[in-house]
Amino acid sequence: RSTTSVSLVASDGGNNKLEFDPFTIQLVRVVDSYGKELCLEVISPTTDTDILSAAQFRSDGSPQTALGRMMADLGVSTVAALSHMIPDGEKTRNEPHKVSPSWVLVYRDLCEWAVLYERICYNTFATDTLIVRDGLLRSKLFRGELFSHFRKNLEAAIAEIREKHRRAVFLIGIAKHSKVITRYQLAMTIERVLPPGEARYVRIPRALEAKAYVWPEYAKGAEAEGEEGEAPKFVAGDMYFVRFGKAKGDPLWAVDILSCQTDKDAEIFGYLLADAIDGFPVPFYPRCLQKAHEHAQVVDFDLAILQDEVFAAVRNLVPDGHVLDEFMLNVDSSARRYE
């Protein structure tokens, strides 16, 4: 089986380490497998989140970014209302020293979810398409039951694309690491659950999955809607273990398939196998995801431009620009031992 495979990836903070960064800058950039830039913002832990929220909308209130479209569809107007992990604007203005700097990473992940949402809900597809997310289809970043509404909007959009345009859009998420694999891999090897010879996959029951998590609600999906207890508001997919190689020593991955599409799992994994079989540099790992990671990295010339902009901003703040020039010329003397 073969089809168009596309992945969306946000730049990792570990890939844009600046040598001089007094502002603790976080570059939020989301690209796809073809290198197309779908989101670009620069924020810091002291950014006023009210101004950040307003930047997602035009003066007439209509959304102008992918995050703004997702917020409008979910019925929220501020990023603090979208996620309980992002501080409100008043706190960032009045008590910046009490704000956890990790909220910028939450914002980056929300932008990645928003680009995924926009790609499915507000774009047309010329061919059947497999969309691969870097990470499982689950999240605790959204406030309340917003992630559940997010999932239902995606399911409705995929159904509409199928009905109106006769195109199939599949959504999966693949994790590089999983507590579920860590817990059960040895037992699966002993029981020869995935014997060598061909690429294989197996669906993981929710009950087994829940035993691997500290919080069992992280393994409570759409099938639990209407049941007693806490609503299923963190999970949008069903988990599978997948091995794309034929040998028993080939890597095993945890993959989430959007819950409404699990009846198409054989077709989806056929498409994913065609993309993963030629994975490089990581063998038997989706090539579209690896290409997106390559494009998302902020390195070389892009990183040099960002560093120059930081120096330019600092130059406007210090009274004597010569001090900054001297600072820029300083080198790490200890590094000379490697020359």
Side-chain angles (χ1 to χ4, degrees):
R1 300 175 186 267
S2 63
T3 190
T4 302
S5 298
V6 179
S7 182
L8 308 170
V9 171
S11 58
D12 187 351
N15 292 329
N16 54 15
K17 293 181 179 179
L18 297 171
E19 295 179 4
F20 178 64
D21 185 16
F23 305 116
T24 321
I25 284 175
Q26 175 69 41
L27 182 67
V28 179
R29 182 168 74 170
V30 184
V31 301
D32 63 14
S33 305
Y34 304 105
K36 182 179 180 180
E37 190 173 81
L38 304 171
C39 175
L40 179 63
E41 290 191 51
V42 179
I43 61 174
S44 76
T46 56
T47 297
D48 188 333
T49 56
D50 284 343
I51 296 177
L52 191 61
S53 300
Q56 313 305 321
F57 301 91
R58 299 184 180 90
S59 56
D60 61 357
S62 61
Q64 66 175 351
T65 65
L67 183 60
R69 272 181 276 277
M70 184 180 75
M71 290 168 61
D73 287 357
L74 296 180
V76 298
S77 58
T78 66
V79 291
L82 180 64
S83 174
H84 57 280
M85 298 183 183
I86 296 181
D88 56 42
E90 183 178 356
K91 186 173 184 179
T92 56
R93 290 190 298 271
N94 300 331
E95 300 177 310
H97 56 285
K98 294 184 179 180
V99 173
S100 172
S102 63
W103 76 263
V104 297
L105 303 179
V106 174
Y107 181 80
R108 182 196 68 190
D109 290 344
L110 288 174
C111 287
E112 189 174 6
W113 280 113
V115 168
L116 172 66
Y117 183 87
E118 182 185 46
R119 173 60 67 94
I120 294 177
C121 296
Y122 291 95
N123 280 273
T124 57
F125 294 86
T127 64
D128 292 353
T129 304
L130 175 67
I131 299 179
V132 183
R133 180 180 183 273
D134 182 26
L136 298 176
L137 300 181
R138 23 194 110 193
S139 175
K140 288 191 174 184
L141 304 181
F142 291 76
R143 186 183 293 274
E145 297 186 15
L146 290 180
F147 189 66
S148 180
H149 299 323
F150 173 92
R151 171 182 58 82
K152 292 175 181 177
N153 289 352
L154 287 184
E155 292 174 349
I158 289 173
E160 184 178 6
I161 292 169
R162 183 74 162 182
E163 181 179 349
K164 288 187 176 181
H165 304 287
R166 303 300 179 187
R167 293 289 180 265
V169 176
F170 302 108
L171 174 62
I172 70 162
I174 181 168
K176 293 183 283 292
H177 308 286
S178 170
K179 292 182 179 179
V180 186
I181 288 182
T182 303
R183 180 181 178 95
Y184 295 113
Q185 190 166 18
L186 177 59
M188 291 174 62
T189 303
I190 294 173
E191 295 292 334
R192 294 178 58 83
V193 174
L194 297 176
E198 294 295 339
R200 302 184 187 277
Y201 68 90
V202 61
R203 185 170 179 172
I204 307 302
R206 293 287 192 196
L208 287 179
E209 188 183 339
K211 293 179 181 179
Y213 298 128
V214 175
W215 307 106
E217 63 268 23
Y218 202 59
K220 195 174 183 181
E223 75 285 346
E225 288 186 341
E227 297 181 0
E228 295 182 359
E230 188 177 16
K233 54 186 180 181
F234 304 122
V235 181
D238 290 17
M239 181 177 286
Y240 291 75
F241 286 170
V242 186
R243 190 192 67 219
F244 297 113
K246 296 182 179 181
K248 63 180 180 180
D250 288 330
L252 187 68
W253 310 105
V255 175
D256 264 354
I257 294 180
L258 191 64
S259 295
C260 67
Q261 298 182 323
T262 52
D263 59 328
K264 301 286 186 182
D265 53 6
E267 181 180 355
I268 291 171
F269 285 124
Y271 295 139
L272 195 58
L273 174 62
D275 188 62
I277 200 74
D278 295 323
F280 181 85
V282 181
F284 303 117
Y285 187 69
R287 179 61 183 143
C288 67
L289 198 53
Q290 298 190 59
K291 289 168 63 179
H293 273 290
E294 292 170 4
H295 293 302
Q297 292 182 11
V298 184
V299 294
D300 301 330
F301 188 58
D302 290 344
L303 186 61
I305 292 176
L306 182 61
Q307 183 69 84
D308 286 346
E309 289 297 326
V310 172
F311 277 122
V314 174
R315 188 183 299 277
N316 293 330
L317 298 175
V318 297
D320 186 1
H322 297 294
V323 175
L324 184 62
D325 292 333
E326 294 176 5
F327 179 85
M328 293 172 63
L329 291 175
N330 288 334
V331 295
D332 182 6
S333 300
S334 64
R336 294 176 180 173
R337 66 184 187 275
Y338 298 114
E339 295 178 358

